[in-house]
C-alpha cells in the first residue's frame, strides 16, 4: 500500500530574524531586491508504479504566499513531496511537507572561492537544526554571482544539489548575488535608463527648452512687477495694484499685436506685402 500519511512540519522559533530579509546588513552589498518573489525547483523521479514529485519553493525578500501547494503559513522555504499514482496527476497523494518558517534564525555567509578558470563569489544563507517531526534538518541556499560566460537561460533558476531527509542544498546563479554599488541597484519593475549609467546627469536631462521657458517666465515676472513698481514710484498710479493692472493690460495689448507685427516683418522680407494704393506707372 502506498504511503498516504502526510508528515506535517513542526517549526520552532530559534530567533527573531524575519524572512529571507533583503534589508539585513549582510545583504546590503548585493541587489537581492531585483530577485524578489517566490521561486521554485521541481524534481520528478520515476518510482514504478508511480512517480515522485518533489517541489521546493523559496521566498526571496518575502514569505511564500499562503496556500501555495500546501505550504505552511509564513514559510521561507517549503518542500512538497507528492506521489503520482499511475502517472495520473489527478491521483496524487502528498507524502511529505517540509517547511522553514520566516522566524527561524539564519546565517548569511559571503564567500569567494578560487576556481580553475574563475573566482566564484556570492553568499550562502543557512538554516540549522529545524524541527521536522522527530528530526532536525538543515538547509543551505547558495547564491552564486553570475559570470559573463554563463548562459542567460541558466540564470535565476534554482538547482537542487541535495535532499536526503537531513539536509537541503540548493544553488542559483544570479546577477543579484554580485556585489553591486547602491547607484546601480534596481528593482524588477524599474524602467531601464536609456542614458549611459556611467554618465553623470549634469542637468542636461531637463533639455534646453525647459531652461528657456524658466528664463522666459523669470524675465516676464521681473518685467511686469518692475514696470508696476516704476509706474507707482512715478506717481502714475494711485496704488501698486492699479499700477500692476495697467502694466498687465499694456503687456496683453503687446501680445495681441505680435501676430500682425510678425506678419509685416515676414511680408517685408519675402516681398509679398501689399503695395498700398500706389500703382506702377
Amino acid at each position: 500500500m502506498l504511503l498516504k500519511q502526510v508528515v506535517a512540519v513542526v517549526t520552532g522559533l530559534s530567533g527573531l530574524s524575519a524572512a529571507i530579509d533583503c534589508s539585513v546588513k549582510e545583504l546590503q552589498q548585493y541587489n537581492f531586491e531585483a530577485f524578489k518573489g517566490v521561486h521554485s525547483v521541481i524534481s520528478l523521479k520515476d518510482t514504478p508504479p508511480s512517480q515522485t514529485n518533489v517541489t521546493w519553493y523559496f521566498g526571496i525578500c518575502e514569505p511564500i504566499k499562503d496556500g501555495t501547494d500546501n505550504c505552511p503559513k509564513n514559510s521561507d522555504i517549503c518542500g512538497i513531496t507528492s506521489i503520482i499514482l499511475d502517472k495520473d496527476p489527478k491521483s496524487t497523494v502528498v507524502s511529505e511537507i517540509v517547511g522553514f518558517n520566516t522566524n527561524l534564525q539564519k546565517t548569511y555567509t559571503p564567500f569567494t572561492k578560487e576556481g580553475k578558470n574563475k573566482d566564484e563569489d556570492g553568499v550562502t544563507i543557512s538554516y540549522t537544526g529545524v524541527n521536522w517531526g522527530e528530526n532536525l534538518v538543515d538547509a543551505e541556499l547558495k547564491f552564486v554571482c553570475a559570470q559573463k560566460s554563463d548562459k542567460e537561460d541558466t540564470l535565476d533558476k534554482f538547482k537542487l544539489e541535495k535532499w536526503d531527509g537531513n539536509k537541503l542544498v540548493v544553488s542559483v546563479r544570479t546577477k543579484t548575488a554580485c556585489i553591486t554599488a547602491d547607484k546601480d541597484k534596481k528593482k524588477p519593475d524599474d524602467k531601464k535608463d536609456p542614458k549611459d549609467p556611467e554618465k553623470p546627469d549634469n542637468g542636461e536631462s531637463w533639455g534646453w527648452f525647459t531652461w528657456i521657458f524658466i528664463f522666459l517666465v523669470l524675465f516676464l515676472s521681473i518685467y511686469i512687477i518692475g514696470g508696476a513698481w516704476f509706474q507707482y514710484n512715478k506717481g502714475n498710479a494711485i496704488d501698486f495694484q492699479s499700477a500692476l493692472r495697467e502694466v498687465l493690460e499694456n503687456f496683453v495689448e503687446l501680445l495681441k499685436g505680435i501676430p500682425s507685427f510678425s506678419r509685416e516683418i515676414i511680408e517685408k522680407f519675402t516681398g509679398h506685402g501689399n503695395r498700398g494704393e500706389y500703382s506702377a506707372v
Side-chain angles (χ1 to χ4, degrees), residues 195-251:
K195 299 190 294 300
D196 185 354
E198 299 298 326
K199 184 179 180 181
D201 183 2
N202 296 322
E204 296 177 0
S205 59
W206 281 34
W208 284 107
F209 178 79
T210 304
W211 285 112
I212 292 174
F213 178 77
I214 292 174
F215 283 121
L216 181 61
V217 170
L218 289 174
F219 173 77
L220 293 177
S221 301
I222 294 172
Y223 170 78
I224 293 172
I225 296 175
W229 183 258
F230 180 74
Q231 291 280 9
Y232 176 70
N233 284 341
K234 285 183 62 178
N236 295 336
I238 299 175
D239 54 25
F240 182 77
Q241 186 175 1
S242 62
L244 181 61
R245 185 165 51 251
E246 182 179 349
V247 172
L248 285 174
E249 290 174 355
N250 292 336
F251 180 69

Side-chain angles (χ1 to χ4, degrees), residues 8-26:
V9 179
V10 180
T11 54
L13 300 180
S14 312
L16 298 177
S17 179
I20 298 180
D21 189 356
C22 298
S23 65
V24 297
K25 63 179 181 180
E26 292 88 350

Side-chain angles (χ1 to χ4, degrees), residues 83-98:
I83 306 299
I84 304 173
L85 308 177
D86 299 323
K87 297 184 179 182
D88 181 5
K90 295 181 180 179
S91 302
T92 301
V93 177
V94 177
S95 61
E96 292 180 350
I97 302 177
V98 183

